[in-house]
Amino acid sequence: MSVNKPRGNTQRPKAEETAESRIRFSFDWEQIFSSPKGTLAWGTFFILLGIFLEIAFISYLVTGISDQSVIDGLGQQSVRDAGRQTRNFFGVLGAVISHFFVYRWFGVGALLLPLVPIVAGWKMAFDKEIIPLNRTTKEVIFFTLWISALMGYIILMSNSESTMSFVSGGIGYIINVTLFDWLKWGSIIPIIFALFVFAVFFYDARSAYDAWQAKNAKPEVTPELNGTAAAEAPQPKVAEPVSTYASVLNDTYDDELPATNGQEKPEKAGLILEVEEETPVAAPVLPVIPIAPVVPVITAPVDAKLELEVEDTTHIAVQETEEFEDEDVNASILREFGQYDPMLDLPSYQFPRVDLLNEVFENHHEKVSQEELESNKTKIVDTLGSYGINISKIKATIGPTVTLYEIIPEAGVRISKIKNLEGDIALSLAALGIRIIAPMPGRGTIGIEVPNKNRETVFARSVLSNERFLKSNYDLPIVLGKTISNEIHIVDLAKMPHLLMAGATGQGKSVGLNVILASLIYKKHPAELKFVLVDPKKVELTLFNKLERHFLAKLPNAEEAIITDTKKVIFTLNSLCIEMDSRYDLLKEAAVRNLKEYNAKFAQRRLNPEKGHRFLPYIVLVIDELADLMMTAGKEVETPIARLAQLARAVGIHLVVATQRPSVKVITGLIKANFPARLSFRVTSSIDSRTILDMGGAEQLVGQGDMLLAINSEVIRLQCPFIDTREIEDVCEFIGSQRGYDEAYALPEYEGEDAAEGKADLNPDDFDALLPDAARLIVTHQQGSTSLIQRKMKLGYNRAGRIMDQLEVLGVVGPFTGSKARDVMFHDLSGLEEHLRVMGVH
């Protein structure tokens, strides 16, 4: 269908209509309140309003009496004159608003009201609730009125209405005057009852009480789910982190790549640099609704002759534990005392707070600029193109220290050709520490790590306060730093199970050790973890001296918990071997395979403490400088370290060994074979890198905490968090000021070659007064154990050890035999008493 258009000049709009159309505009109120800019503006307004009211109210409590005459005379004088006389921090407006909210209405209870606009404004501006808004509003309304009523009662009872009436406000005063006419002093009863009713209904006090009662009730036996049914039960789906990509360029590159050797020059590069965002975005989780299939129900007559066969299992013998032959005894003890909790030894212990660490300053988070990404991308593409290597795709992942450029070469390009251009790429980028990963494991790309011009400082507070670390359920969780994708990297030392560290002087090795120790201190209770600290340099680990009565372990006769003398290091390492053997004996008697199973069995009170069983804490041996020990002691140090590394994992003894000289003379093959986890800061040569990591690359690191972690042939580049000396001092001071154990955790006594000479010099006149009683105790129990004397006679380990040495001199017990108890030479008390009489010991 055709439309006839008017010919000639069409009618033009009038001048008035044209002008009107130019000045007409729309005003979208919804856009103002719902747009991101609008919510930010209004949120900021409400936050400032709340701060304004709070400061005005507080100021009125101080200046309200003097401002009262000014407020009453506002009608007779100008605002300017009134403002000059007003002492409120926010002038006349603050005084007037405070007059109504504080004096006439709610008194000091009005101080709670500004909390509502602050919380609401924060939610509008930042789309995040610092505290729940609905719940806070209800609490503020109730407690504003309740505090006003309570203050009114106090003022009325104290007869100070004339001077302190503004504390309760008009509402609180009127409420109490009314109640006083009916109940006199008993008017406090409905006020307290109102608080009780609010707590019961709002905080659901009854449910909280029932939950507490259920928690402390006796355990009930519940039937376990059938294995098939449990497997078929619908499991919730967990969101996998999905990395998002955003192009830093608005348009594709139209610049021509340089001509390649023997190849035609492409018309357009068309290469876009994709930048991976720092924070992975979790994919939305959709509820999974299990739908039962429709199955026809078929009924069949039951065969009356069908018999049910029941297998009689009463003849099967049940293996009983050695500790408690009667399971009813174990059950009754568990019901009476509950599970054993080692933390009750220090019930008031408080874990260190995160605010003891330095705050995270935003100016240290200097991001890589778009210009830097563009420049590096162009140089990489040009350098590879000049050698005839064309790139089909390039992507950048920005990390705290380096940016990873992942490239996909065109078909037909050999990976070794790109790997050999490492020096050329470093030259073109004028950067130190270029590292090429060809190929990227499991990615199908080639990675080029380029150091950032402005490095980001990773603070210890940012990683130790991270939700992933706080909620980690690892046995020994340690934070090693941030990955290239800015993710917190947490590992379990109990599964590593030992860590070998290396790095040249000043590259962050000591800071890394401090971060590892701080991670464990922030997550574990002193009853669960002990440290054995070896510091040949004598200055690196001395800050942890204040933790002696909480986290440190030492030899019974050692004066200091931090071991610095080489001879004492040898004694300590051999003592740990004795402790390891002793723990294996306990695990054997308990019929368990590792420390975790043993402690769980002990907590269920299935192991008898009278037979030597006890809760076993994890022990972490930290050696700050292995090279010095190997130079001075050699095999005397290498043998116990290798033995611990081979066997100590199952009994909860783990090693963290560091050195700044990763040569084959220091990290011998015997030691290296038992340390599957290696961590290297920057080293001086590729030979050192291969010694510690079995591969090159550590010599290309840029220092200051930049490191490579190799676990089971997988290499990860990390940026170690920074924790300074003051932070360590504050954390140790916070823990050391609390009540601890009477002394450090005592390791087994190790006797060197000079032990026999020392015993021969014992003088009978120096025998302990409790020696006869200890001898009778040993013979009665037929167990030559120092811990038995310590436990039964309530003595310290040092004194109990001296008594045991004296009993050996007297011939009551046999010589020291390592982890096993000494032989008892007498089998009855009568023979012992005769022997003591002959020896002159009464």
Side-chain angles (χ1 to χ4, degrees):
M1 180 178 179
S2 61
V3 179
N4 296 326
K5 298 183 180 180
R7 298 179 179 179
N9 294 333
T10 57
Q11 184 179 4
R12 295 184 178 179
K14 297 180 180 181
E16 294 81 6
E17 294 177 357
T18 304
E20 182 180 358
S21 63
R22 291 178 179 174
I23 63 174
R24 184 183 301 153
F25 63 92
S26 60
F27 199 81
D28 191 352
W29 290 98
E30 182 179 359
Q31 180 70 13
I32 292 177
F33 285 95
S34 61
S35 66
K37 294 181 180 179
T39 54
L40 177 61
W42 281 106
T44 306
F45 168 77
F46 283 116
I47 293 175
L48 295 177
L49 175 62
I51 296 174
F52 167 83
L53 293 176
E54 188 68 34
I55 296 176
F57 294 168
I58 295 174
S59 179
Y60 184 83
L61 296 178
V62 181
T63 64
I65 298 177
S66 60
D67 290 344
Q68 191 64 39
S69 59
V70 179
I71 296 174
D72 295 337
L74 277 178
Q76 289 79 27
Q77 57 181 342
S78 64
V79 176
R80 175 177 296 180
D81 294 334
R84 293 173 179 174
Q85 303 175 30
T86 305
R87 297 177 58 190
N88 191 283
F89 190 87
F90 283 122
V92 177
L93 181 60
V96 172
I97 294 177
S98 303
H99 173 74
F100 284 92
F101 278 91
V102 179
Y103 183 82
R104 291 197 174 184
W105 293 341
F106 307 112
V108 294
L111 296 177
L112 298 176
L113 293 176
L115 189 62
V116 175
I118 291 176
V119 175
W122 192 277
K123 182 177 181 181
M124 291 181 63
F126 305 104
D127 195 21
K128 182 180 180 181
E129 288 186 340
I130 47 179
I131 52 178
L133 177 59
N134 294 335
R135 184 182 183 90
T136 302
T137 303
K138 296 175 183 178
E139 290 176 322
V140 166
I141 293 174
F142 172 79
F143 283 107
T144 298
L145 295 172
W146 187 82
I147 292 175
S148 177
L150 180 64
M151 292 295 102
Y153 175 82
I154 295 175
I155 291 173
L156 194 62
M157 292 298 102
S158 60
N159 296 324
S160 57
E161 298 95 316
S162 59
T163 59
M164 300 295 291
S165 58
F166 69 92
V167 176
S168 65
I171 295 178
Y173 185 79
I174 293 174
I175 291 174
N176 279 276
V177 169
T178 305
L179 292 175
F180 187 83
D181 294 336
W182 288 87
L183 300 173
K184 295 295 182 182
W185 64 268
S187 57
I188 189 63
I189 297 176
I191 297 176
I192 300 299
F193 181 74
L195 178 63
F196 173 79
V197 171
F198 182 81
V200 169
F201 286 91
F202 187 80
Y203 296 109
D204 201 5
R206 181 66 186 179
S207 298
Y209 174 77
D210 293 340
W212 174 84
Q213 195 174 30
K215 181 179 179 181
N216 292 274
K218 297 179 180 179
E220 297 180 359
V221 180
T222 57
E224 297 183 355
L225 288 175
N226 180 271
T228 305
E232 295 176 355
Q235 301 293 332
K237 292 187 176 180
V238 181
E240 296 289 341
V242 179
S243 300
T244 60
Y245 301 93
S247 174
V248 297
L249 305 177
N250 295 327
D251 301 316
T252 59
Y253 283 95
D254 291 331
D255 301 332
E256 294 184 353
L257 288 174
T260 59
N261 296 335
Q263 298 181 5
E264 295 182 1
K265 186 185 301 182
E267 294 182 2
K268 293 185 179 180
L271 191 62
I272 300 178
L273 173 64
E274 294 184 350
V275 182
E276 183 176 356
E277 294 183 352
E278 297 177 358
T279 307
V281 181
V285 181
L286 299 179
V288 179
I289 304 176
I291 303 177
V294 180
V295 180
V297 180
I298 302 176
T299 60
V302 180
D303 190 357
K305 297 182 180 180
L306 186 63
E307 296 181 358
L308 176 65
E309 295 183 1
V310 180
E311 182 179 359
D312 186 10
T313 59
T314 57
H315 66 279
I316 300 177
V318 179
Q319 183 179 2
E320 297 179 349
T321 60
E322 179 184 352
E323 290 75 17
F324 292 104
E325 296 182 357
D326 189 359
E327 291 295 335
D328 293 338
V329 175
N330 174 40
S332 62
I333 293 177
L334 190 61
R335 285 194 301 268
E336 181 178 358
F337 298 101
Q339 286 198 353
Y340 174 78
D341 186 1
M343 299 183 187
L344 294 180
D345 293 342
L346 297 178
S348 60
Y349 175 79
Q350 296 181 3
F351 285 83
R353 305 185 308 270
V354 181
D355 57 12
L356 295 172
L357 305 175
N358 291 337
E359 295 183 1
V360 180
F361 299 102
E362 294 297 332
N363 57 352
H364 284 76
H365 292 267
E366 300 180 4
K367 304 299 181 183
V368 178
S369 64
Q370 181 175 340
E371 292 76 11
E372 183 178 348
L373 292 173
E374 167 100 16
S375 175
N376 290 341
K377 174 258 177 186
T378 303
K379 292 176 181 177
I380 292 174
V381 172
D382 291 346
T383 302
L384 295 177
S386 62
Y387 288 92
I389 301 174
N390 293 329
I391 305 301
S392 62
K393 185 178 180 181
I394 183 170
K395 180 183 68 177
T397 304
I398 304 173
T401 305
V402 298
T403 297
L404 173 65
Y405 294 87
E406 291 184 69
I407 62 175
I408 300 178
E410 291 184 350
V413 177
R414 300 183 62 180
I415 294 178
S416 60
K417 190 174 183 180
I418 299 178
K419 181 68 175 176
N420 294 332
L421 296 176
E422 187 172 9
D424 298 272
I425 297 175
L427 179 63
S428 65
L429 294 173
L432 176 66
I434 298 295
R435 199 170 76 101
I436 295 181
I437 309 171
M440 294 284 292
R443 303 284 286 271
T445 60
I446 297 175
I448 302 175
E449 294 175 347
V450 181
N452 301 331
K453 292 181 180 179
N454 298 318
R455 301 180 55 174
E456 174 186 345
T457 302
V458 179
F459 289 93
R461 180 169 182 169
S462 65
V463 295
L464 295 181
S465 61
N466 187 273
E467 188 176 2
R468 283 189 58 205
F469 175 72
L470 296 177
K471 293 184 178 180
S472 63
N473 56 357
Y474 291 156
D475 295 327
L476 294 174
I478 55 177
V479 178
L480 293 181
K482 281 188 176 182
T483 64
I484 289 181
S485 57
N486 276 280
E487 295 179 352
I488 305 298
H489 192 74
I490 306 171
V491 295
D492 188 359
L493 181 60
K495 294 182 179 179
M496 294 176 79
H498 312 293
L499 179 61
L500 186 61
M501 301 175 60
T505 303
Q507 303 304 316
K509 178 168 52 64
S510 297
V511 175
L513 280 177
N514 290 339
V515 171
I516 291 174
L517 293 174
S519 301
L520 296 172
I521 290 172
Y522 265 85
K523 286 289 290 185
K524 306 304 290 185
H525 189 275
E528 302 174 300
L529 174 65
K530 302 298 177 183
F531 294 115
V532 177
L533 303 182
V534 177
D535 183 14
K537 293 188 288 188
K538 303 181 181 180
V539 294
E540 297 294 344
L541 300 177
T542 53
L543 298 174
F544 296 92
N545 253 327
K546 297 179 181 178
L547 305 181
E548 178 175 344
R549 295 185 301 110
H550 295 85
F551 283 102
L552 300 190
K554 66 177 184 179
L555 292 173
N557 56 351
E559 297 180 359
E560 296 182 355
I562 310 295
I563 305 144
T564 57
D565 183 72
T566 303
K567 186 175 182 179
K568 292 182 179 179
V569 172
I570 298 172
F571 278 39
T572 302
L573 293 176
N574 285 278
S575 175
L576 280 175
C577 291
I578 297 174
E579 174 75 13
M580 177 184 68
D581 294 335
S582 175
R583 290 189 173 200
Y584 267 114
D585 292 338
L586 294 176
L587 264 62
K588 177 183 177 182
E589 295 174 4
V592 295
R593 299 179 60 186
N594 54 54
L595 180 81
K596 195 171 184 179
E597 295 178 3
Y598 177 87
N599 283 338
K601 202 169 185 179
F602 185 84
Q604 296 170 2
R605 302 189 184 275
R606 297 169 59 190
L607 302 175
N608 192 347
E610 294 294 332
K611 296 187 177 181
H613 291 288
R614 64 190 188 279
F615 184 86
L616 301 178
Y618 285 97
I619 297 178
V620 177
L621 169 64
V622 179
I623 300 178
D624 184 50
E625 183 49 69
L626 179 63
D628 183 76
L629 298 178
M630 295 297 291
M631 289 177 59
T632 56
K635 289 292 182 181
E636 293 181 281
V637 171
E638 180 186 5
T639 301
I641 289 179
R643 189 163 183 265
L644 289 171
Q646 290 171 347
L647 301 174
R649 171 184 182 178
V651 292
I653 300 177
H654 303 276
L655 282 63
V656 178
V657 180
T659 181
Q660 61 183 354
R661 293 174 52 202
S663 63
V664 292
K665 293 183 179 180
V666 176
I667 305 177
T668 63
L670 190 60
I671 293 177
K672 185 178 178 180
N674 295 287
F675 283 81
R678 325 268 181 77
L679 190 151
S680 178
F681 295 87
R682 185 182 180 185
V683 293
T684 55
S685 66
S686 60
I687 297 177
D688 291 344
S689 177
R690 293 189 182 95
T691 302
I692 182 70
L693 298 177
D694 292 331
M695 60 177 293
E699 76 281 2
Q700 298 291 344
L701 300 176
V702 295
Q704 296 182 1
D706 189 18
M707 60 186 181
L708 292 175
L709 174 67
I711 302 179
N712 299 324
S713 71
E714 179 184 0
V715 180
I716 306 172
R717 190 165 187 173
L718 302 171
Q719 174 61 41
C720 180
F722 175 72
I723 185 169
D724 63 16
T725 303
R726 187 201 62 79
E727 294 175 276
I728 294 295
E729 289 178 346
D730 291 346
V731 172
C732 294
E733 180 66 31
F734 176 82
I735 297 176
S737 62
Q738 302 183 49
R739 177 184 174 272
Y741 296 98
D742 295 335
E743 55 187 5
Y745 184 83
L747 296 174
E749 187 173 1
Y750 173 76
E751 300 178 353
E753 298 177 355
D754 300 333
E757 299 178 3
K759 293 176 184 175
D761 296 337
L762 288 176
N763 188 352
D765 296 335
D766 297 333
F767 283 164
D768 196 287
L770 297 178
L771 181 62
D773 295 334
R776 299 182 184 100
L777 178 67
I778 292 295
V779 173
T780 301
H781 289 79
Q782 287 295 299
Q783 182 180 357
S785 170
T786 304
S787 61
L788 176 67
I789 299 176
Q790 181 184 5
R791 185 173 63 253
K792 293 294 185 180
M793 304 186 71
K794 296 180 173 57
L795 302 178
Y797 191 90
N798 293 340
R799 187 178 181 184
R802 288 194 299 269
I803 292 177
M804 183 60 69
D805 292 338
Q806 295 167 7
L807 290 175
E808 181 183 349
V809 173
L810 287 176
V812 178
V813 296
F816 179 75
T817 57
S819 61
K820 296 183 179 180
R822 298 172 185 248
D823 296 330
V824 182
M825 301 303 177
F826 294 90
H827 300 286
D828 55 71
L829 291 177
S830 60
L832 172 67
E833 295 294 345
E834 179 64 21
H835 180 72
L836 294 178
R837 186 184 63 80
V838 173
M839 297 297 296
V841 180
H842 302 288

